[in-house]
Amino acid sequence: MSPSRRQAAIGLLTTGAAATPLGRAMAEDASRAEAPEIEHGPDERLQAGQDKYTHMMAPVLINGRGPYQFVLDTGANVSCVSHALVEQLDLQPGRPRRVHTIVGVRERPSVVIDELTVGNRARRDVEAPALPIKGPGVDGILGVDWLKGQRLVLDFKKNEIEITKSKSDHAHPGRVVVVPARRKHGQLTIIDADLNGVPISAIIDSGAQGTLCNGPLRDLVRASEQRHGKTGPPQSVRMESLAGEVFHGESVFLPFLRLGGLHLGNVQVTYADMHVFRIWELEKKPALVIGMDLLMQFEQVALDFGRSAVRFEFV
């Protein structure tokens, strides 16, 4: 599909109490203070579903009922439910919440869930924002709040999700690359990355169908294109958040991208000056939000939230 017609669905970011002043500290502190304890079971694999945007979906039980299909969103620090599921289960209202999406921030209602279960891992007394999720067959969004200290493996070859305890990973030349990351708002950001030798940051976001770049990274690419006489008119890309917020971006091709020991060439991304980069304090330096279009080029991608590392396994 041409870039001018390609669509992408983008996930969520962070939430905080509506009465708290808006800001990064609010989102970070609220998510830490209010996250219920998680009951961890043994390592396990779950069969994943897919929505129309190729997001991986996990089976989730709500108060013992289900399973319901939740988009697995490593770019979201809290789990959310759809308005339709709230009505179906008659969930009790909680406090209003400020919810940060890729586009901006809005106050949303929330509901109280007695127990949210993923496989053999359970959280109790969960206050989840309720969103007008547009995707057919999507009952909610599963954020990284249920992965505290755990290791998540996205197995694209088998279409499975593996949840394990944090553990050491080792690189294997030509097969496996392990890249260091840092944690912010619960998510992982790759720190050992560059574009043609210029350091960049890269956020792993399984809730995004398409990969995004910010203005500083787009400017690097455009400057290189001008030096080589390859400039042309920008091509528009239509995008939409999982909450139905529509926005437009500009198609960009990265000539060479390094993520740790991983080397990629001619990577298509979308430039958009989005709220996500301000939340992660990445609006002034080159940065990427790596979506499913790039993640699915691998056999497996493992995110270790205990050891702050990302493991890429080649097909």
Side-chain angles (χ1 to χ4, degrees), residues 59-272:
V60 175
L61 297 181
I62 301 294
N63 298 340
R65 297 174 63 179
Y68 302 102
Q69 295 300 309
F70 278 48
V71 168
L72 188 59
D73 189 352
T74 60
N77 74 350
V78 290
S79 298
C80 307
V81 295
S82 68
H83 285 172
L85 189 61
V86 171
E87 294 180 3
Q88 179 181 341
L89 299 180
D90 193 25
L91 297 174
Q92 296 303 304
R95 299 171 296 168
R97 308 280 287 181
R98 286 184 184 265
V99 178
H100 296 257
T101 68
I102 195 84
V103 176
V105 59
R106 286 187 60 182
E107 183 175 301
R108 302 285 190 181
S110 73
V111 294
V112 177
I113 298 172
D114 295 332
E115 185 176 71
L116 185 153
T117 306
V118 184
N120 51 36
R121 284 158 170 76
R123 292 178 59 211
R124 290 185 170 83
D125 300 321
V126 178
E127 192 173 54
L131 303 177
I133 296 174
K134 301 297 183 181
V138 177
D139 300 307
I141 296 161
L142 195 60
V144 297
D145 48 346
W146 66 283
L147 282 169
K148 185 177 181 181
Q150 299 288 286
R151 181 174 181 271
L152 172 68
V153 180
L154 308 176
D155 192 323
F156 298 109
K157 183 177 181 180
K158 297 180 180 179
N159 198 35
E160 291 180 338
I161 301 165
E162 183 179 2
I163 311 162
T164 74
K165 295 179 181 178
S166 177
K167 65 180 183 180
S168 296
D169 267 322
H170 302 286
H172 300 283
R175 177 66 177 174
V176 175
V177 172
V178 180
V179 187
R182 68 169 179 262
R183 283 174 290 178
K184 189 175 183 66
H185 302 321
Q187 295 95 338
L188 291 179
T189 302
I190 291 174
I191 54 177
D192 181 20
D194 67 67
L195 178 71
N196 287 341
V198 179
I200 68 171
S201 297
I203 303 159
I204 304 294
D205 187 356
S206 64
Q209 182 198 15
T211 297
L212 290 177
C213 76
N214 65 356
L217 193 148
R218 187 275 310 264
D219 293 343
L220 281 176
V221 174
R222 293 295 183 240
S224 176
E225 290 176 342
Q226 289 177 357
R227 288 195 298 270
H228 294 88
K230 297 180 179 179
T231 57
Q235 294 180 291
S236 177
V237 179
R238 181 185 184 277
M239 309 188 85
E240 183 176 355
S241 78
L242 291 172
E245 301 154 314
V246 176
F247 60 100
H248 293 82
E250 175 186 321
S251 182
V252 177
F253 286 87
L254 309 184
F256 180 81
L257 174 64
R258 183 186 66 84
L259 302 174
L262 181 64
H263 300 264
L264 304 171
N266 200 34
V267 178
Q268 184 180 6
V269 303
T270 299
Y271 158 68

Side-chain angles (χ1 to χ4, degrees), residues 12-15 23-29 31-32 73-78 143-145 181-191 201-204 275-283 285 303-309:
L12 302 176
L13 296 176
T14 54
T15 68
R24 294 185 306 273
M26 171 277 295
E28 187 174 351
D29 292 344
S31 64
R32 279 204 305 264
D73 189 352
T74 60
N77 74 350
V78 290
V144 297
D145 48 346
R182 68 169 179 262
R183 283 174 290 178
K184 189 175 183 66
H185 302 321
Q187 295 95 338
L188 291 179
T189 302
I190 291 174
I191 54 177
S201 297
I203 303 159
I204 304 294
H275 183 63
V276 56
F277 295 110
R278 289 183 284 276
I279 286 292
W280 275 306
E281 299 179 327
L282 295 174
E283 69 270 30
K285 56 185 178 180
L303 296 90
D304 196 314
F305 294 89
R307 296 180 181 269
S308 297

